[in-house]
Amino acid sequence: MSHQSRYWNPLLETLNREAIKELQLKKFKRIFRWAYDHSRFHRALYKKAGITPDDIRSLDDISRVPTVEKDMMRDIQRKDPFPYGDALCVPIEEVTEFRQTSGTTGQPVYQPDTWADWEWWSESWAFILWAQGYRPKDRVFIPFGYNIFVAFWAGHYAAEKIGCEVVPGGVLDTKARILKIQELKATAMMATPTYVLGMADTAKNSMGLEPAEMSINKITCAGEPGASISSTKKRMEEAWGAKVYDHAGATEIGAWSYECEYQPKGMHVNEAFFLVEIEDRETGEIIKGPGKKGKMIITALDRHAQPCIRFDSKDIIEWAEDPCPCGRTFGLIKGGVIGRADDITKVKGVLLAPTAIEEVVRGIDGLAHEYEVIVDKVGDVDRISLKVELLTGAQEQKDTIEARLRDQLRLKTNLGYKIEFHKHGTLPRYDVKARRFRDLRKIH
Ligand SMILES: [Zn+2]
């Protein structure tokens, strides 16, 4: 591999569209047959739908294959073979990796991988990191808890595979991590947007350090949509004086998408490793091109222990219009993952994606990063409240800030809000993944 090459895998990343589709069909047939032959769970699902591997002759036939919901995976857990259940396609002794979903929306799902699956995980991360400019000369600091969540584990191995020097920032606290970055002159790091901003605040406010003057020149984000929200991205880039890149992945799926060095306001789908279909939420039809948002149905084409075949991810995405200037032929999704089907809710009859509120709040000078949104009902009427923090020193501009906030919210979300200003530092802080949106209507 030449270090000058723009692509990690020049062959796969520049295949013509016909060849990509051919490869996806070939791989889909293979993984579908594998699951049909080795997993009782999958075979029962497909038999019920009356479909067999021989029925898949074109990409269009794939939409007949039933989707798998997260709840179905929850139901089989802890059954035989313990603890994964009967979607397991390999003898249990071939499993080398245990991870579980973070369970923010219910009981966690266990995810087994074989060593070959794990190699595949790090290979898919190598596409991501190479596209974001990671090279052997980089010293990569990973401020992550190295635990049962997959998070940056595969990013760690991929950085090593590329030839970078990797510093695991495991159990250190935030201050110790910042000092380590300073001491070792680390050039890159991986973290959630919430933590990237939190670290910068700690460095500035509690340690008197200026992160923008440190050596970090690129940051890879995961776990939250922030790096695809332009105002949040800008705050992170300014705070660290670094390029901030998004990537999307999930425990049950793999690392399926990445932003390249051109930051094209969207992410490439690794179409050599994944088949992404976008389903119209009203008609159930597959959306083939740009112009319409839908729900992602995804297949990991090479993952074998517990396959991910037409998994209903609940992510809302949309194909982008233009090819990317980087020359990759992998499809682009516009603006990254726009939201989750579970999060997009109707307030006063208007569809609202919480990411739109973040975009507005983080785009206004004088407001801190933190905010909180609460939707509830007063009588029969929906009410949406937004709590923001005014930066110390911005008190005199409060009226102007509030007017701007109201205008932008109305423009971007078509809703009027009850706005509360709080003192900087008083709203809840989150270490890794934030829960800033609460819909109290759903509780009753
Ligand atoms: Zn690109």
Side-chain angles (χ1 to χ4, degrees), residues 300-362:
L301 297 165
D302 308 279
R303 196 177 189 183
H304 287 91
Q306 184 166 283
C308 166
I309 299 176
R310 299 206 83 226
F311 180 68
D312 181 351
S313 73
K314 313 272 188 231
D315 287 325
I316 302 295
I317 57 171
E318 177 182 357
W319 291 115
E321 193 79 57
D322 299 313
C324 185
C326 74
R328 284 180 183 80
T329 48
F330 286 170
L332 269 178
I333 54 167
K334 192 176 167 182
V337 174
I338 301 158
R340 309 251 319 145
D342 303 338
D343 292 344
I344 294 178
T345 173
K346 269 195 176 166
V347 179
K348 296 179 189 170
V350 177
L351 275 181
L352 172 73
T355 47
I357 301 174
E358 177 167 326
E359 171 84 64
V360 171
V361 173
R362 300 267 173 87

Side-chain angles (χ1 to χ4, degrees), residues 347 373-377 383-385 437-441:
V347 179
V373 183
I374 296 166
V375 183
D376 59 3
K377 264 186 191 298
R383 174 175 64 179
I384 180 159
S385 314
F437 187 89
R438 283 190 289 151
D439 190 345
L440 303 180
R441 300 169 307 176

Side-chain angles (χ1 to χ4, degrees), residues 170-182:
V171 295
L172 304 176
D173 68 14
T174 301
K175 285 183 183 170
R177 284 166 171 170
I178 291 164
L179 289 174
K180 212 41 140 180
I181 287 171
Q182 192 186 36

Side-chain angles (χ1 to χ4, degrees), residues 63 278-288 294-295:
S63 62
I278 305 181
E279 188 186 278
D280 188 314
R281 294 174 74 198
E282 275 145 34
T283 65
E285 299 283 309
I286 300 301
I287 300 166
K288 295 280 174 69
K295 192 171 67 164

Side-chain angles (χ1 to χ4, degrees), residues 387-400:
K387 298 179 184 178
V388 291
E389 289 182 350
L390 201 58
L391 287 178
T392 322
Q395 197 60 40
E396 280 181 15
Q397 292 94 52
K398 183 172 171 255
D399 291 346
T400 326

